[in-house]
């Protein structure tokens, strides 16, 4: 059965009170509409048709070729919106799923169940739809059934009789239509008193033609719609819970899920422990047997196995196996800690590599630098990499010792096994094996050419 999908995304979302289109508001690292598209992609054979209107440039830029776009110039109801999408649905499509861009909690599993329901129904079935049953109707349309239990219509709350208001089976607005029947009948939907065309009227039309309508109960969370920022926060809470549970079931220990923020694209290896207050964002990958936090933030970074990050901030950086940082350290863009690197509290690294086994003391800044293996960087060391116009590089060779409160004025190279005395201001290269001290630093015991070799 060839299936396509239509996602309605043309509304203004005025209750969000935002310049950003409602469907572009982020939820755990992804725009709301991205969640809607991700739900339908695994169960369809063609890109979904996205019905766009307000803010469509942002929607198109976000999704690119993941969708086909139908523009709804006038917002004349859900039936009118789907009518704009029909020309983009291929003639050989058998079934059409209809859903909404502001329903980010809908899952692929629930849509698969809807499709299975439709596929298993008899040949006269025109519509399969998701319903929910709950005491608070929240203004949803009621499912009106005949005495034999078959669906007769969807009755909007404003049109309900006193008896119909007591109905607790509610319409979610998620459907699977027989594609041929939808093409033949959608243009016949009558105009409402408001001058709009409602998709819900198709249910009564199908029933009057003797066509079958089948229903399935959906999980309450799945069909939660977002209309304002309160709803946005509630939807995010559900997504956060799902993401954390996914990691825990895969072998990650999350000490306090309620205080932990993990975005959807983050990967975490088994036997890693996430302590309270952590924020893991973007395209971040954390290896196995790591300790993260408490209260650490990691964004768009790679953290290898057996690393430890305590009360620190990592942004667009990399840590190799057994590296550790913190408390209160920061890795900025381009920072790379090699294997077994120790970086102490209140240190900062930017656009620099620290080689295997290097130790960086507290209150230090290393920027635009290449640091060799087993280098010791004393507390308060600073690479002075910016002269107000250009940024220059500092190179420190293997096994060098940099004393506390050293200033390395780039461009400068410290040779392997060189030693820099505490408080030095180094403005010139220091040969391998040499000792430098003072302000400005001068070299003592400069090695012979044979020693340097």
């Amino acid at each position: 059965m060839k299936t396509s999908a239509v996602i309605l995304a043309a509304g203004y979302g005025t209750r969000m009170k935002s310049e950003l289109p409602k469907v572009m508001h982020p939820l755990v690292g992804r725009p709301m509409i991205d969640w809607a598209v991700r739900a339908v992609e695994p169960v369809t054979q063609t890109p979904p048709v996205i019905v766009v209107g307000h803010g469509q440039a942002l929607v198109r830029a976000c999704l690119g070729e993941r969708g086909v776009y139908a523009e709804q110039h006038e917002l004349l109801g859900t039936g009118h919106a789907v009518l704009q999408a029909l020309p983009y649905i291929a003639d050989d499509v058998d079934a059409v799923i209809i859903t909404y861009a502001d329903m980010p909690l809908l899952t692929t599993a629930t849509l698969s169940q809807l499709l299975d329901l439709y596929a298993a129904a008899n040949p006269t079935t025109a519509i399969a739809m998701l319903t929910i049953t709950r005491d608070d109707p929240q203004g949803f349309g009621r499912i009106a059934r005949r005495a034999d239990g078959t669906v007769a219509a969807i009755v909007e709350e404003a049109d309900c009789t006193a008896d119909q208001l007591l109905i607790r089976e509610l319409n979610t607005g998620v459907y699977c239509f027989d594609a041929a029947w939808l093409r033949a009948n959608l243009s016949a939907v009558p105009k409402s008193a408001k001058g709009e065309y409602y998709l819900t009227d198709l249910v009564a039309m199908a029933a009057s033609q003797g066509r079958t309508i089948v229903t399935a109960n959906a999980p309450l969370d799945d069909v939660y719609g977002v209309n304002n920022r309160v709803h946005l926060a509630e939807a995010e809470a559900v997504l956060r819970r799902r993401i954390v549970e996914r990691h825990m079931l895969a072998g990650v220990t999350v000490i306090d899920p309620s205080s932990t923020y993990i975005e959807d694209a983050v990967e975490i290896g088994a036997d890693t422990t996430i302590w309270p207050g952590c924020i893991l964002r973007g395209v971040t990958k954390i290896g196995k047997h790591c300790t993260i936090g408490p209260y650490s933030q990691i964004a768009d970074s790679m953290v290898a196995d057996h690393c430890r990050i305590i009360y620190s901030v990592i942004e667009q950086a990399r840590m190799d196996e057994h590296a550790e940082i913190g408390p209160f350290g920061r890795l900025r863009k381009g920072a790379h800690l090699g294997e077994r690197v120790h970086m102490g509290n209140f240190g900062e690294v930017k656009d620099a590599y620290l080689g295997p086994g290097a130790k960086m003391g507290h209150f230090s800044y290393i920027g635009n630098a290449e640091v060799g293996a087993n280098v010791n960087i004393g507390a308060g060391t600073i690479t002075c990499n910016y002269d107000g116009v250009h940024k220059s590089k500092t190179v420190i060779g293997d096994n060098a010792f940099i004393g506390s409160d050293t200033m390395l004025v780039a461009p400068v190279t410290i040779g392997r096994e060189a030693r820099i005395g505490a408080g030095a201001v180094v403005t010139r290269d220091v040969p391998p094996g040499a000792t430098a001290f003072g302000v400005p630093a001068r070299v003592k015991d400069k090695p012979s050419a044979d020693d340097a070799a």
Side-chain angles (χ1 to χ4, degrees), residues 92-147:
D92 61 346
V93 168
D94 301 299
V96 180
I97 293 172
I98 311 290
T99 186
Y100 298 86
D102 61 1
M103 200 175 279
L105 303 182
L106 188 61
T107 64
T108 298
T110 296
L111 288 175
S112 294
Q113 292 172 4
L114 179 65
L115 277 172
D116 290 344
L117 174 71
Y118 174 80
N122 62 58
T124 65
T125 299
I127 307 169
M129 55 189 293
L130 296 179
T131 66
I132 54 174
T133 302
R134 68 181 180 201
D135 291 335
D136 181 4
Q138 286 190 317
F140 284 24
R142 310 306 203 271
I143 305 299
R145 293 184 181 269
R146 303 185 184 96

Side-chain angles (χ1 to χ4, degrees), residues 12-93:
Y12 282 94
T14 54
R15 283 176 283 180
M16 297 295 288
K17 301 188 185 306
S18 174
E19 296 178 0
L20 187 68
K22 177 172 70 171
V23 300
M24 290 300 298
H25 279 260
L27 284 164
V28 204
R30 298 185 187 277
M32 194 186 309
I33 193 168
D34 193 343
W35 289 100
V37 172
R38 285 162 60 85
V40 303
E41 283 175 327
V43 297
T44 56
Q45 291 74 52
T46 61
V49 181
I50 316 295
V51 181
V52 293
H54 174 65
Q56 63 174 289
L58 290 176
V59 173
R60 290 172 185 260
C62 170
L63 297 176
E65 295 183 359
R66 291 172 63 196
V68 175
Y69 303 94
E71 187 171 356
Q72 187 182 20
H73 296 283
E74 295 181 272
L75 301 185
L76 298 178
T78 52
H80 179 262
V82 177
L83 193 62
Q84 313 314 303
L86 279 185
Y88 299 92
I89 297 173
D91 292 340
D92 61 346
V93 168

